[in-house]
Amino acid sequence: MINAKLMLEMTLDYVSPLELTSSMLESGAKKAKLSVSDLLIRGILAGAFLGMAATLSDAATVATGDALVGAIMFSFGFVIIALLNLELFTGACVMLPFAAFGGRATTGQVLRNWVYVYIGNLIGSLIYAFLYAATSTKFFTDAPDPIGAKMVAVGVAKVMPYMHAGVAGWWTALLKGVLCNWLVALASVFALISRSTIGKIVAAWLPITAFVALGFEHSVANMFDIPGAMMLGAPISISQWLVWNEIPVTIGNIIGGMIFTGLALYVTYKPTQSAAAPAGMAVAAE
């Protein structure tokens, strides 16, 4: 018979850190076994939704003149991804290594997930970037609308300052990637910290808003921001995008998610599967 204390704990919305990290272990183990088609489809959808979030953020900034409002609105894309349990590379940088730390996934499974999710995110981001660029320019027959013009400015700002700074700029992009995924990976974790839908949304929303407002660099968001800007006429080459943003930011995102969030939580809580939340109570997030 279930005692009163256990019944009370089951009704509480908050998930304790040990229970949380045990759910992370289970989530990462499940993701390690997803098929290639699932990784690609869920990755494509996640990349597209994050692109939509970026355009909503730009639209809010243009409409209000306040970048903080844009940062707040950006989080809607992550919420969709988390609630649909889609695959986002930055979330995979914490969940998959976490499972590996606990012996629930192999290095090969981690890398397999990362590669296919990254490819899927890129495809989804590029598809949405093309569709939005086409609508912003009346199918490339006119100058970009105000939101498209903002996209161009954002894309240029994510490449040229780093390039002009040389080696120091490359390392700056990498460090901004570390700081970004320290927060974004934390949002992936926070999507598991509540048993209610509204609790998951609010908890995950906070770190996402912070990373955007602070100007950190997200590799998947940049798969939309920079190619989208290029489609709208930004003077950026593919090599400039890759060398001065995408590559260092991706490396930084891996470090931030795997080490600063995943390893730190694993070492301090040493989760076990037996401490995990009851089945169906937690939604795995990216």
Side-chain angles (χ1 to χ4, degrees):
M1 183 175 181
I2 300 177
N3 61 39
K5 181 180 178 181
L6 181 57
M7 290 182 64
L8 177 61
E9 289 175 349
M10 291 177 65
T11 62
L12 293 176
D13 185 55
Y14 172 69
V15 176
S16 70
L18 181 57
E19 195 177 16
L20 169 68
T21 51
S22 296
S23 294
M24 290 171 61
L25 198 64
E26 178 66 17
S27 175
K30 289 180 179 178
K31 291 177 182 297
K33 298 175 183 177
L34 287 174
S35 67
V36 171
S37 61
D38 282 339
L39 293 174
L40 287 173
I41 293 171
R42 296 181 191 186
I44 289 169
L45 290 172
F49 287 138
L50 211 65
M52 294 177 193
T55 47
L56 177 62
S57 176
D58 289 340
T61 301
V62 169
T64 65
D66 190 339
L68 181 58
V69 175
I72 293 171
M73 298 308 298
F74 182 86
S75 301
F76 111 94
F78 182 87
V79 168
I80 293 174
I81 292 167
L83 295 183
L84 287 178
N85 195 21
L86 301 177
E87 298 294 323
L88 194 66
F89 176 73
T90 45
C93 288
V94 62
M95 294 300 182
L96 272 293
F98 200 88
F101 298 149
R104 300 292 303 279
T106 66
T107 301
Q109 288 175 319
V110 173
L111 295 177
R112 170 181 171 274
N113 179 284
W114 283 0
V115 168
Y116 287 114
V117 170
Y118 197 89
I119 292 172
N121 290 168
L122 178 61
I123 293 171
S125 298
L126 293 177
I127 289 173
Y128 179 71
F130 174 80
L131 294 174
Y132 193 83
T135 62
S136 176
T137 58
K138 298 182 178 65
F139 215 91
F140 305 102
T141 62
D142 201 353
D145 62 18
I147 299 171
K150 177 64 176 177
M151 285 173 54
V152 172
V154 169
V156 170
K158 285 180 171 291
V159 175
M160 294 307 174
Y162 301 133
M163 184 177 71
H164 293 155
V167 174
W170 193 92
W171 282 104
T172 299
L174 186 147
L175 292 178
K176 284 189 175 183
V178 172
L179 293 170
C180 166
N181 214 26
W182 195 348
L183 287 168
V184 174
L186 191 62
S188 298
V189 173
F190 278 2
L192 296 167
I193 207 166
S194 169
R195 292 181 172 88
S196 70
T197 300
I198 190 63
K200 297 174 188 296
I201 292 172
V202 172
W205 203 289
L206 302 175
I208 300 297
T209 297
F211 111 75
V212 178
L214 290 169
F216 297 150
E217 296 285 355
H218 190 282
S219 58
V220 181
N222 292 345
M223 291 176 184
F224 165 79
D225 284 330
I226 301 172
M230 293 162 62
M231 294 176 191
L232 290 170
I236 304 168
S237 68
I238 294 176
S239 63
Q240 288 170 338
W241 161 42
L242 295 177
V243 172
W244 297 105
N245 185 288
E246 197 64 36
I247 291 173
V249 168
T250 298
I251 296 170
N253 286 171
I254 292 171
I255 296 170
M258 182 171 64
I259 304 299
F260 285 74
T261 299
L263 183 60
L265 290 176
Y266 186 85
V267 169
T268 191
Y269 288 111
K270 301 175 181 62
T272 61
Q273 180 55 33
S274 61
M281 298 298 283
V283 175
E286 289 315 310

